[in-house]
Short mmCIF file of all heavy atoms in Angstrom, two decimals:
data_model
loop_
_atom_site.label_atom_id
_atom_site.label_comp_id
_atom_site.label_asym_id
_atom_site.label_seq_id
_atom_site.Cartn_x
_atom_site.Cartn_y
_atom_site.Cartn_z
N LYS A 43 6.55 -9.08 16.72
CA LYS A 43 6.66 -10.35 15.80
C LYS A 43 7.89 -11.13 16.13
O LYS A 43 8.83 -10.65 16.57
CB LYS A 43 6.65 -9.73 14.47
CG LYS A 43 5.57 -8.82 13.97
CD LYS A 43 5.85 -8.26 12.58
CE LYS A 43 4.83 -7.25 12.08
NZ LYS A 43 4.92 -5.99 12.85
N LEU A 44 7.70 -12.32 15.82
CA LEU A 44 8.82 -13.29 15.63
C LEU A 44 9.03 -13.58 14.11
O LEU A 44 7.90 -13.87 13.37
CB LEU A 44 8.60 -14.63 16.33
CG LEU A 44 8.84 -14.67 17.82
CD1 LEU A 44 8.58 -16.14 18.24
CD2 LEU A 44 10.19 -14.23 18.24
N ILE A 45 10.24 -13.62 13.65
CA ILE A 45 10.43 -14.01 12.27
C ILE A 45 11.58 -15.17 12.15
O ILE A 45 12.53 -15.06 12.94
CB ILE A 45 10.92 -12.79 11.35
CG1 ILE A 45 12.12 -12.18 11.77
CG2 ILE A 45 9.75 -11.79 11.21
CD1 ILE A 45 12.72 -11.26 10.70
N ILE A 46 11.51 -15.98 11.31
CA ILE A 46 12.44 -17.04 11.02
C ILE A 46 12.85 -17.04 9.59
O ILE A 46 12.11 -17.70 8.77
CB ILE A 46 12.01 -18.42 11.58
CG1 ILE A 46 11.55 -18.29 12.93
CG2 ILE A 46 13.17 -19.45 11.38
CD1 ILE A 46 10.10 -18.01 13.11
N PRO A 47 13.73 -16.25 9.03
CA PRO A 47 14.13 -16.20 7.63
C PRO A 47 14.79 -17.51 7.18
O PRO A 47 15.63 -17.96 7.96
CB PRO A 47 14.93 -15.00 7.51
CG PRO A 47 15.54 -14.76 8.83
CD PRO A 47 14.59 -15.16 9.79
N PHE A 48 14.63 -17.95 6.05
CA PHE A 48 15.19 -19.05 5.47
C PHE A 48 16.60 -18.66 4.92
O PHE A 48 17.53 -19.50 4.86
CB PHE A 48 14.43 -19.75 4.36
CG PHE A 48 13.12 -20.15 4.70
CD1 PHE A 48 12.17 -20.47 3.85
CD2 PHE A 48 12.75 -20.36 6.14
CE1 PHE A 48 10.79 -20.97 4.19
CE2 PHE A 48 11.53 -20.93 6.50
CZ PHE A 48 10.66 -21.21 5.50
N ASN A 49 16.73 -17.41 4.52
CA ASN A 49 17.90 -16.87 4.05
C ASN A 49 18.45 -15.69 4.82
O ASN A 49 17.59 -15.14 5.61
CB ASN A 49 17.90 -16.49 2.52
CG ASN A 49 17.37 -17.61 1.68
OD1 ASN A 49 17.83 -18.69 1.93
ND2 ASN A 49 16.55 -17.35 0.69
N ASP A 50 19.59 -15.16 4.46
CA ASP A 50 20.05 -13.91 5.22
C ASP A 50 19.25 -12.75 4.68
O ASP A 50 18.91 -12.61 3.51
CB ASP A 50 21.47 -13.66 4.97
CG ASP A 50 22.44 -14.76 5.48
OD1 ASP A 50 21.85 -15.61 6.25
OD2 ASP A 50 23.63 -14.75 5.17
N VAL A 51 18.67 -11.83 5.53
CA VAL A 51 17.77 -10.68 5.13
C VAL A 51 18.53 -9.43 5.79
O VAL A 51 18.83 -9.40 6.94
CB VAL A 51 16.37 -10.96 5.67
CG1 VAL A 51 15.64 -9.68 5.44
CG2 VAL A 51 15.72 -12.10 5.05
N LEU A 52 18.48 -8.35 4.85
CA LEU A 52 18.92 -7.06 5.40
C LEU A 52 17.56 -6.23 5.66
O LEU A 52 16.90 -6.14 4.74
CB LEU A 52 19.88 -6.44 4.36
CG LEU A 52 20.19 -4.96 4.66
CD1 LEU A 52 21.00 -4.70 5.91
CD2 LEU A 52 20.95 -4.29 3.45
N THR A 53 17.52 -5.71 6.86
CA THR A 53 16.34 -4.94 7.22
C THR A 53 16.73 -3.58 7.48
O THR A 53 17.68 -3.30 8.38
CB THR A 53 15.52 -5.46 8.46
OG1 THR A 53 15.20 -6.81 8.10
CG2 THR A 53 14.24 -4.81 8.73
N LYS A 54 16.24 -2.56 6.88
CA LYS A 54 16.62 -1.22 7.21
C LYS A 54 15.41 -0.44 7.83
O LYS A 54 14.28 -0.43 7.39
CB LYS A 54 16.86 -0.38 5.92
CG LYS A 54 17.49 0.93 6.23
CD LYS A 54 17.95 1.59 4.89
CE LYS A 54 18.38 2.97 5.20
NZ LYS A 54 18.98 3.72 3.97
N THR A 55 15.59 0.07 9.12
CA THR A 55 14.60 0.84 9.81
C THR A 55 15.25 2.26 10.04
O THR A 55 16.05 2.37 10.94
CB THR A 55 14.21 0.15 11.15
OG1 THR A 55 13.76 -1.19 10.85
CG2 THR A 55 13.11 0.94 11.83
N GLY A 56 14.68 3.24 9.42
CA GLY A 56 15.23 4.58 9.54
C GLY A 56 16.60 4.49 8.99
O GLY A 56 16.90 4.17 7.88
N SER A 57 17.62 4.97 9.94
CA SER A 57 18.97 4.93 9.45
C SER A 57 19.72 3.72 9.99
O SER A 57 20.92 3.62 9.83
CB SER A 57 19.66 6.18 10.11
OG SER A 57 19.60 6.28 11.54
N PHE A 58 18.96 2.81 10.64
CA PHE A 58 19.70 1.60 11.13
C PHE A 58 19.56 0.41 10.20
O PHE A 58 18.37 0.13 9.61
CB PHE A 58 19.09 1.18 12.42
CG PHE A 58 19.34 2.34 13.51
CD1 PHE A 58 18.44 3.21 13.82
CD2 PHE A 58 20.60 2.34 14.20
CE1 PHE A 58 18.57 4.19 14.75
CE2 PHE A 58 20.77 3.36 15.07
CZ PHE A 58 19.91 4.29 15.44
N GLU A 59 20.56 -0.40 10.06
CA GLU A 59 20.42 -1.55 9.19
C GLU A 59 20.79 -2.89 9.98
O GLU A 59 21.78 -2.81 10.94
CB GLU A 59 21.34 -1.58 8.01
CG GLU A 59 21.06 -0.57 6.97
CD GLU A 59 21.86 -0.60 5.77
OE1 GLU A 59 23.06 -1.24 5.82
OE2 GLU A 59 21.56 0.01 4.75
N VAL A 60 20.04 -3.95 9.95
CA VAL A 60 20.24 -5.14 10.67
C VAL A 60 20.16 -6.38 9.77
O VAL A 60 19.33 -6.54 8.90
CB VAL A 60 19.17 -5.39 11.89
CG1 VAL A 60 19.32 -6.67 12.54
CG2 VAL A 60 19.05 -4.11 12.74
N TYR A 61 21.21 -7.18 9.85
CA TYR A 61 21.14 -8.62 9.24
C TYR A 61 20.47 -9.57 10.07
O TYR A 61 20.98 -9.79 11.25
CB TYR A 61 22.57 -9.03 8.78
CG TYR A 61 23.23 -8.26 7.69
CD1 TYR A 61 24.13 -7.12 7.83
CD2 TYR A 61 22.93 -8.58 6.32
CE1 TYR A 61 24.67 -6.50 6.70
CE2 TYR A 61 23.39 -7.99 5.37
CZ TYR A 61 24.25 -6.98 5.58
OH TYR A 61 24.90 -6.24 4.38
N SER A 62 19.51 -10.30 9.46
CA SER A 62 19.00 -11.48 10.17
C SER A 62 19.38 -12.76 9.39
O SER A 62 19.19 -12.92 8.22
CB SER A 62 17.35 -11.33 9.98
OG SER A 62 16.94 -10.20 10.51
N VAL A 63 20.15 -13.49 10.16
CA VAL A 63 20.74 -14.71 9.68
C VAL A 63 19.73 -15.80 9.39
O VAL A 63 18.95 -16.01 10.26
CB VAL A 63 21.91 -15.18 10.42
CG1 VAL A 63 22.58 -16.40 9.86
CG2 VAL A 63 22.95 -14.03 10.70
N GLY A 64 19.78 -16.42 8.26
CA GLY A 64 18.87 -17.46 7.86
C GLY A 64 18.79 -18.65 8.91
O GLY A 64 19.77 -18.96 9.60
N ASN A 65 17.52 -19.11 9.21
CA ASN A 65 17.18 -20.29 10.13
C ASN A 65 17.55 -19.89 11.59
O ASN A 65 17.62 -20.73 12.47
CB ASN A 65 17.85 -21.50 9.71
CG ASN A 65 17.34 -22.11 8.52
OD1 ASN A 65 16.18 -22.26 8.38
ND2 ASN A 65 18.27 -22.32 7.49
N ARG A 66 17.55 -18.66 11.87
CA ARG A 66 17.61 -18.17 13.38
C ARG A 66 16.29 -17.54 13.55
O ARG A 66 15.57 -16.97 12.79
CB ARG A 66 18.75 -17.36 13.60
CG ARG A 66 20.03 -18.04 13.57
CD ARG A 66 21.28 -17.15 14.13
NE ARG A 66 21.03 -16.97 15.45
CZ ARG A 66 21.80 -16.08 16.30
NH1 ARG A 66 22.71 -15.37 15.71
NH2 ARG A 66 21.58 -15.99 17.58
N ILE A 67 15.94 -17.40 14.92
CA ILE A 67 14.63 -16.85 15.33
C ILE A 67 14.91 -15.35 15.81
O ILE A 67 15.87 -15.21 16.65
CB ILE A 67 13.99 -17.68 16.36
CG1 ILE A 67 13.90 -19.01 15.99
CG2 ILE A 67 12.64 -16.96 16.72
CD1 ILE A 67 13.32 -20.00 17.12
N PHE A 68 14.18 -14.44 15.34
CA PHE A 68 14.45 -13.10 15.72
C PHE A 68 13.10 -12.38 16.16
O PHE A 68 12.02 -12.66 15.75
CB PHE A 68 14.87 -12.16 14.56
CG PHE A 68 16.20 -12.64 14.04
CD1 PHE A 68 16.48 -13.54 13.15
CD2 PHE A 68 17.41 -11.94 14.55
CE1 PHE A 68 17.72 -13.92 12.72
CE2 PHE A 68 18.57 -12.29 14.11
CZ PHE A 68 18.83 -13.31 13.17
N LEU A 69 13.29 -11.60 17.29
CA LEU A 69 12.14 -10.81 17.88
C LEU A 69 12.21 -9.45 17.36
O LEU A 69 13.24 -8.86 17.44
CB LEU A 69 12.28 -10.91 19.46
CG LEU A 69 11.09 -10.21 20.16
CD1 LEU A 69 9.83 -10.98 19.92
CD2 LEU A 69 11.36 -10.22 21.65
N ILE A 70 11.04 -9.06 16.85
CA ILE A 70 10.93 -7.57 16.29
C ILE A 70 10.06 -6.87 17.26
O ILE A 70 8.86 -7.14 17.52
CB ILE A 70 10.35 -7.57 14.89
CG1 ILE A 70 11.19 -8.44 13.98
CG2 ILE A 70 10.22 -6.04 14.45
CD1 ILE A 70 10.66 -8.42 12.53
N GLY A 71 10.49 -5.79 17.83
CA GLY A 71 9.69 -4.91 18.73
C GLY A 71 8.76 -4.02 17.90
O GLY A 71 8.77 -4.12 16.71
N ILE A 72 7.98 -3.32 18.58
CA ILE A 72 7.02 -2.48 17.83
C ILE A 72 7.87 -1.48 16.95
O ILE A 72 8.99 -0.93 17.53
CB ILE A 72 6.15 -1.61 18.96
CG1 ILE A 72 5.26 -2.52 19.69
CG2 ILE A 72 5.40 -0.46 18.27
CD1 ILE A 72 3.93 -2.96 18.74
#
Side-chain angles (χ1 to χ4, degrees):
K43 305 173 184 70
L44 281 182
I45 61 165
I46 306 89
F48 299 163
N49 302 324
D50 297 352
V51 174
L52 174 65
T53 304
K54 186 175 182 180
T55 305
S57 60
F58 297 97
E59 292 185 347
V60 177
Y61 281 98
S62 302
V63 181
N65 289 308
R66 292 192 65 189
I67 306 171
F68 293 87
L69 181 65
I70 303 179
I72 292 287

